[in-house]
Amino acid sequence: MWSRQRGRLKPLCCGVEELRCRRREREAALRKARREQQLVSKRLLRDEALEEAEEGCVAMIFGEAEIQQFLRLAQRGTEEKEREGALVSLRRGLQRPETQQTFIRLEGSIRTLVGLLTSNQALLQLEAARCLHELSHSEQSAVVEACLPATSYLLTYLSGHSSDFISPHLTVLEALGYALSQLLQAKEAPEKIIPSVLGSTLPQHMLQLLQPGPKLNLGVAVEFAWCLHYIICSQVNNALLITQGALSTLGLLLLDLAGAVQRTEDAGLELLACPVFRCLSNLLTEAAAEAVGGQLQLRDERVVAALFILLQFLLQKQPSLLPEGLWLLNNLTANSPSFCTSLLSLDLIEPLLHLLSVSNVVSVLVLTVLCNVAEKGPAYCQRLWPGPLLSSLLDTLAFSDTEVVGQSLELLQLLFLYQPGAAQAFLQQSGLQALQRHEEVAQLQDRVHALQQTALHG
Amino acid sequence: MQLPPALHARLAGAPGSAEPLPVERDPAARTAPFRFAPRPVRFPREHDFFEEGDVQRHLYLQDVLTQVGGAPERPRVPEFTCQVAGCCQVFDALEDYEHHYHTLHRNVCSFCKRAFPSGHLLDTHILEWHDSLFQILAERQDMYQCLVEGCTEKFRTSRDRKEHLVMRHLYPVDFRFDKPRKSRGPVMPGAAEQVLAEAPGDDGVPSEVDAMEVCSEHVEPPPAPAGERRAYSHRIPSTICFGQGASRGFKRAKKRNKHQ
């Protein structure tokens, strides 16, 4: 379903320019919706999709008898087409909340659906996955919660097949992951749903599905990475996830992603990179992540190498995701002399500086990471000097964005403090003039004056 | 953004962490007005920082759902009926119709109206079913040609041929080539493969066969487990059923038993 169709172009009934225009409109609509706290609304997701896919096709409200009939046909019909057809009809009906309610209240309905999801008939599995899809769209939490107990079983069943993941299995897995991600996005998720998810075997299954290797499927991984993100950013019990090896699994996945990015032009990889960045970054803020001597920590410097390879990839494919990658870099380097040293020894300062022209947000993050390195003392500043750093800083001082300039000032101060000759070089490169233009800016003036003093008088 | 060449090698190299340079902080560093302190940052779900990534995620989902919500990518057209006389099947997708026509109407035996997936199979059928000379020759020599194009084996009986198809060419023991006369609904793309390997009982219609050889009335149960490959030969129908519900092109006095 997802995997097969990703990358396939829909027949172009309009020009490329029109498509780009439409995409920009959709993006704008989504941004607006998010700001209004409506992005989690499945209605938004569904309306757009429905409009395009099923114009003129009105979903019916089915009663108990009809639903039972469909389920019976699906389970015991003699012809595959007939069974499939029953599921298609059921799925259409499930677009209506009334039908959804009836469905979950009908005894054995979920059980039957689970049976079909584990059917040995590929097409039935696919249609059943679509039904699950519909249910997971429900605005009514009761409906979505009804599906939750099945998820564990399904994941167990599907994981059992991991040695021979065939296409329908992957599709069902993807549908499950998506359904779960919808569930976890619900407003009441942190109180009601996430605790029970964390108390089940689901997290272990999810982490298993995210393990790099020949069985890793991009579509499946994307859905479960987002699931993990919703769980983690809800801050319910991240320490538990860390004890289950989340940091090391996600770290290895990051390495795998960087490898994949080097090998292929697949534009879908940023869809996985984004939730992985988020999960890792948020987990790194947990006290458990800092626990000394644990194998559960993230310490491998290959993670830094991988991250830069991904940053380069994002710079070309999706620059708007650079901040998320740099956020991870910040969280990796903030309290880690080891990772800061890696940045220096792997020669990554210059590539980092290249990102300074992308956007203000990116610049602030880059400067913050550089500050993370510089604040660790003279041994670090020495390795930052000489090189392009000074001229980059003079450039950023010319920005008008207060935050960018502010962060530049912080970095300058650290350099002046720890690196002899830095202030001198700064003066020689007309640094004072660069500072002058910000003398009147409220948030900056104190720091500007302090730096002017240091530069002139040592 | 140029990355140092050694970086890729590092990624491919062994796990390990850098020996950290000595940390040595001067208290003057964090004195007012300067305030920088390194700290890992955490963002909750609704934070604006996530806006961009969320938007990209939703764009992707919208694309996916458009494809999922509708049928698998097939251009839809207004409903139309198959124009072949006697066929009233209705379609709303050209691909379905194409497949239907190809499967049920293209290679049709003019004698008995059975439909076949290919011209080759149709020819074989006509030869074996509607050619009186064939039957005469078949009594004296191997006339049943292997159905796989390119395989030159010939067999004495239809049953022997079937055994060969299963053993040598890995056909499923319950395969059939014909399609029943009554069409069943829009045929899925790829049903040509299904034609070759229909599971017993799948179409729910007992074979009303009046075959070239004696043919059992009921469909045989699924094949024996892999370890007993030869055992199946006692359980398969005594002939391949090439057609169904058809009239014979020429009359036979009685069912032939000789070639069992």
Side-chain angles (χ1 to χ4, degrees), chain A residues 192-210:
Chain A
K192 295 170 79 178
I193 300 170
I194 292 177
S196 62
V197 167
L198 286 171
S200 73
T201 56
L202 271 175
Q204 281 138 324
H205 279 133
M206 288 196 256
L207 287 173
Q208 218 174 2
L209 290 166
L210 290 170

Side-chain angles (χ1 to χ4, degrees), chain B residues 10-256:
Chain B
R10 183 65 195 94
L11 181 68
S17 53
E19 189 57 47
L21 294 164
V23 177
E24 210 185 304
R25 293 188 179 96
D26 189 326
R30 286 186 206 180
T31 341
F34 296 97
R35 44 201 185 246
F36 176 77
R39 60 179 187 98
V41 173
R42 142 193 310 192
F43 288 120
R45 175 190 306 204
E46 287 308 321
H47 202 284
D48 284 348
F49 187 78
F50 288 151
E51 176 179 305
E52 197 51 52
D54 284 355
V55 166
Q56 296 304 323
R57 159 78 171 158
H58 275 74
L59 277 173
Y60 161 70
L61 285 177
Q62 282 177 344
D63 284 344
V64 163
L65 289 174
T66 308
Q67 294 165 2
V68 167
E73 302 170 339
R74 298 175 316 165
R76 296 268 200 84
V77 295
E79 274 190 4
F80 63 96
T81 320
C82 178
Q83 291 303 296
V84 171
C87 181
C88 40
Q89 192 56 49
V90 177
F91 302 95
D92 68 353
L94 291 172
E95 208 180 67
D96 288 350
Y97 177 63
E98 203 179 18
H99 186 85
H100 160 87
Y101 184 86
H102 184 78
T103 316
L104 291 183
H105 299 312
R106 245 184 87 201
N107 302 295
V108 175
C109 175
S110 49
F111 297 102
C112 66
K113 308 302 175 215
R114 275 179 171 79
F116 296 87
S118 73
H120 166 71
L121 288 170
L122 173 61
D123 291 341
T124 311
H125 159 81
I126 292 174
L127 182 68
E128 295 176 8
W129 281 55
H130 305 300
D131 186 337
S132 44
L133 184 60
F134 178 91
Q135 295 305 326
I136 293 164
L137 290 171
E139 289 176 37
R140 287 200 279 268
Q141 57 193 260
D142 295 345
M143 288 293 288
Y144 289 90
Q145 170 89 51
C146 173
L147 300 176
V148 175
E149 300 193 50
C151 180
T152 52
E153 298 276 348
K154 286 188 197 283
F155 302 88
R156 203 61 198 278
T157 68
S158 157
R159 178 182 171 151
D160 289 344
R161 172 179 57 197
K162 174 157 185 169
E163 192 171 318
H164 165 83
L165 284 169
V166 174
M167 293 294 275
R168 180 66 62 76
H169 300 295
L170 306 180
Y171 275 22
V173 295
D174 46 12
F175 81 94
R176 296 175 50 189
F177 284 122
D178 62 341
K179 270 309 205 174
R181 196 200 272 146
K182 282 203 169 33
S183 29
R184 291 254 160 70
V187 180
M188 284 291 287
E193 284 70 53
Q194 288 178 10
V195 171
L196 298 175
E198 281 175 274
D202 223 18
D203 40 81
V205 175
S207 44
E208 353 148 22
V209 189
D210 187 7
M212 9 191 264
E213 308 274 343
V214 173
C215 184
S216 41
E217 297 280 41
H218 58 271
V219 182
E220 295 293 348
E228 302 163 63
R229 296 212 70 164
R230 299 281 328 165
Y232 78 87
S233 56
H234 304 294
R235 296 159 76 204
I236 52 169
S238 57
T239 187
I240 302 162
C241 302
F242 260 134
Q244 181 176 306
S247 52
R248 318 258 342 169
F250 59 100
K251 296 287 181 213
R252 271 190 211 249
K254 57 174 185 167
K255 285 180 182 177
R256 300 182 65 115

Side-chain angles (χ1 to χ4, degrees), chain A residues 2 6 31 34-35 78-79 133 223 234 262 278 301 312 327 331 375-376 380 418 447, chain B residues 1 8 10 16 21 24-26 35 41-42 45 47 51-52 54 57 60 64-65 184 202:
Chain A
W2 281 256
R6 184 175 307 123
R31 256 179 249 286
R34 194 185 187 279
R35 284 174 197 162
T78 46
E79 256 203 74
H133 217 253
E223 297 311 314
S234 301
Q262 290 174 97
R278 294 181 180 193
E301 76 171 347
Q312 184 191 50
W327 169 38
N331 285 13
E375 72 88 30
K376 292 185 171 47
Y380 294 78
Y418 292 132
R447 291 180 282 177
Chain B
M1 185 189 182
H8 305 272
R10 183 65 195 94
L21 294 164
E24 210 185 304
R25 293 188 179 96
D26 189 326
R35 44 201 185 246
V41 173
R42 142 193 310 192
R45 175 190 306 204
H47 202 284
E51 176 179 305
E52 197 51 52
D54 284 355
R57 159 78 171 158
Y60 161 70
V64 163
L65 289 174
R184 291 254 160 70
D202 223 18

Side-chain angles (χ1 to χ4, degrees), chain A residues 132-438:
Chain A
L132 178 64
H133 217 253
E134 286 303 336
L135 286 169
S136 71
H137 272 134
S138 178
E139 295 275 333
Q140 308 156 80
S141 58
V143 174
V144 191
E145 278 171 48
C147 305
L148 188 59
T151 313
S152 230
Y153 164 72
L154 284 166
L155 283 178
T156 311
Y157 165 82
L158 291 163
S159 311
H161 279 74
S162 57
S163 58
D164 57 340
F165 266 148
I166 57 174
S167 170
H169 281 151
L170 289 173
T171 307
V172 174
L173 263 179
E174 226 177 304
L176 264 184
Y178 172 77
L180 197 56
S181 76
Q182 292 300 295
L183 195 60
L184 293 167
Q185 260 197 301
K187 275 207 170 62
E188 62 275 11
E191 303 102 60
K192 295 170 79 178
I193 300 170
I194 292 177
S196 62
V197 167
L198 286 171
S200 73
T201 56
L202 271 175
Q204 281 138 324
H205 279 133
M206 288 196 256
L207 287 173
Q208 218 174 2
L209 290 166
L210 290 170
Q211 265 165 19
K215 285 183 248 143
L216 182 71
N217 175 272
L218 184 62
V220 171
V222 166
E223 297 311 314
F224 284 98
W226 279 94
C227 285
L228 213 51
H229 161 61
Y230 293 130
I231 294 176
I232 291 173
C233 71
S234 301
Q235 312 286 347
V236 173
N237 189 356
N238 289 340
L240 177 66
L241 289 170
I242 293 177
T243 61
Q244 290 175 339
L247 273 173
S248 85
T249 299
L250 291 166
L252 289 171
L253 184 56
L254 197 76
L255 299 186
D256 205 45
L257 260 175
V261 141
Q262 290 174 97
R263 284 190 305 269
T264 164
E265 266 300 302
D266 189 353
L269 293 168
E270 74 277 11
L271 295 165
L272 182 55
C274 176
V276 171
F277 288 161
R278 294 181 180 193
C279 290
L280 277 171
S281 302
N282 270 330
L283 281 178
L284 284 169
T285 67
E286 299 288 331
E290 306 240 354
V292 179
Q295 270 175 335
L296 304 167
Q297 279 178 285
L298 199 60
R299 311 180 99 198
D300 192 341
E301 76 171 347
R302 293 179 303 167
V303 166
V304 174
L307 184 49
F308 269 81
I309 290 170
L310 288 168
L311 288 173
Q312 184 191 50
F313 166 74
L314 287 175
L315 184 59
Q316 286 158 352
K317 278 278 151 61
Q318 194 71 271
S320 60
L321 289 179
L322 280 171
E324 303 213 15
L326 289 167
W327 169 38
L328 176 56
L329 189 58
N330 174 73
N331 285 13
L332 284 170
T333 52
N335 292 330
S336 171
S338 174
F339 279 137
C340 286
T341 306
S342 294
L343 271 186
L344 296 165
S345 59
L346 293 173
D347 274 324
L348 294 171
I349 301 299
E350 207 169 320
L352 201 53
L353 291 173
H354 278 210
L355 293 175
L356 280 172
S357 50
V358 172
S359 72
N360 288 337
V361 174
V362 168
S363 297
V364 170
L365 286 162
V366 168
L367 290 165
T368 308
V369 170
L370 291 167
C371 285
N372 286 349
V373 177
E375 72 88 30
K376 292 185 171 47
Y380 294 78
C381 285
Q382 209 174 40
R383 300 278 287 270
L384 284 173
W385 201 265
L389 182 55
L390 181 59
S391 64
S392 296
L393 273 175
L394 288 164
D395 285 341
T396 57
L397 282 175
F399 280 36
S400 48
D401 183 87
T402 317
E403 255 204 276
V404 174
V405 176
Q407 207 62 38
S408 311
L409 298 175
E410 298 283 345
L411 184 53
L412 267 176
Q413 189 245 4
L414 291 166
L415 287 169
F416 285 1
L417 190 57
Y418 292 132
Q419 182 58 25
Q424 196 72 357
F426 180 72
L427 281 174
Q428 279 163 1
Q429 304 248 2
S430 320
L432 280 181
Q433 285 88 310
L435 284 176
Q436 250 173 353
R437 52 185 296 203
H438 303 294

